[in-house]
Amino acid sequence: MKNQVLEQFNKIYPDAPSPLIIRSPGRINIIGEHTDYNEGFVLPAAIDKAIYVAIAKRDDDEIHLYAGDYNESHVVNADAVAISEKHWPNYILGVVDQLQKKGFNIGGFSLAIDGDVPLGAGLSSSAAVECATAFALNELFGLGLTKLEMVKRAQKAEHTFAGVMCGIMDQFASMFGKKDNVIQLDCRSIEYEYEPFELKDYKILLLNTNVKHSLSSSAYNERRQQCEQGVAWVREYHKDVLSLRDVTIQMLNDHVLPKDELIYKRCKYVVEEIERLLQGCKDLQEGDIKALGKKMFRTHEGLSKEYEVSCEELDFLVDAVKDNPDVIGARMMGGGFGGCTINIIKEDAIDELVNKLKPLYKQAFDKDLDHYIASIEDGASLVID
Ligand code: GAF
């Protein structure tokens, strides 16, 4: 991939100086879904699928972008960065805009981008692009930003230029990932701990529905607002409550259920998921992967029936492995409405499962089912020869 982006860069910008190359990975999340923007916990990790950026300074103030995935270019002046009608430049330009708003002087540059994070598969290709861009600009212009500052600029870029009011999980995982470790991140204090993820003879299998989720299709933002509404109702009685992190089921029963059943359902899922993650982390520390797996199935149920961010295809894939003794946990992953399921499965059972599922999936939905065995890798870095 690194060579591919370098070749593209050299082809598109033959007169440019030799570029820096940055790798920023996609992510998985073991448990803790839709908890980040509720100031709960998440348990993500960076994976072996990544976005690569090649970048070099220009002598003028122009920003030249090229995306290998689309074989498309986009040019804009550094003092006229704005949301583009094309989708892909926004994840890059949003970061430029955020850095400029922080007072950094971003001059002209040429950038080529490519990667093997499947797009719209719930593996956070967009966060990987944003983090790769922030990392690249930080290196190129010597901005001196910390990793956390880059994460925050990248997250804000998603809010402003992509219109998705995401939490911090995806950008954090892409930037802070550590090989063979998951990150237990407290999304309120932003304190985090690495936890070794030892699966022995199990693997992480991702099954891609090939249903492209569109988070900005407002359902994601709507869920966030519903959580905020629930908190506002509880706060009328408990002034110290700041987010669903502080809310109990009793509070929801008392102050949300009488007002709105749908909002109650959404909030209940989140409150339970925050607790489930904490229990799941204990399982992990005790080496009880099976107990953690059971919780993943329960998370799926909550996401599907209470938070309602699943879809038929995701439900089908989780149902299909539910009673398989070789699969100890499975659920939809990420924002939802499509993308991948994450499965913890015995390594020697993968082929049989995938060979069985692919034709069934095709028959049911007339779509292809893709699969990836994910390994946990380091977060964003400068690629050095
Ligand atoms: C998306 C968002 F970008 C994350 O912040 C997170 O909320 C996730 O959905 C759901 O857990 O990936």
Side-chain angles (χ1 to χ4, degrees), residues 27 29 32-37 42 122 124 155 158 164-171 213 215 220 333-336:
R27 64 101 189 89
N29 184 28
E33 216 65 89
H34 287 274
T35 46
D36 58 354
Y37 53 85
V42 288
S124 292
Q155 180 193 9
E158 180 87 26
V164 182
M165 295 306 292
C166 66
I168 199 169
M169 169 170 77
D170 299 356
Q171 291 80 5
H213 65 168
L215 290 183
Y220 181 93
M333 191 178 64

Side-chain angles (χ1 to χ4, degrees), residues 7 15 116 176 179 377:
E7 266 170 37
D15 301 326
D116 58 4
F176 282 88
K179 190 168 175 51
E377 303 295 335

Side-chain angles (χ1 to χ4, degrees), residues 27-38 41-42 122 169 213 215 219-220 222-224 226-227 244 262 264-274 276-277 293-316 318-319 329-342:
R27 64 101 189 89
I28 51 169
N29 184 28
I30 306 297
I31 198 162
E33 216 65 89
H34 287 274
T35 46
D36 58 354
Y37 53 85
N38 288 300
F41 298 86
V42 288
M169 169 170 77
H213 65 168
L215 290 183
Y220 181 93
E222 184 190 65
R223 293 300 179 284
R224 193 173 171 148
Q226 289 169 330
C227 292
L244 285 180
L262 184 70
Y264 173 78
K265 226 169 37 162
R266 304 287 194 249
C267 294
K268 179 170 163 289
Y269 159 75
V270 173
V271 170
E272 288 177 351
E273 178 72 351
I274 293 174
R276 197 159 32 235
L277 180 140
K294 279 200 188 118
K295 295 187 174 66
M296 291 169 69
F297 280 118
R298 177 61 198 104
T299 292
H300 183 78
E301 241 177 86
L303 287 167
S304 175
K305 308 257 160 46
E306 293 158 19
Y307 216 60
E308 293 180 286
V309 291
S310 186
C311 62
E312 261 187 286
E313 292 85 346
L314 288 165
D315 289 347
F316 175 92
V318 173
D319 271 355
R331 63 178 195 84
M332 58 146 281
M333 191 178 64
F337 312 107
C340 288
T341 63
I342 175 170

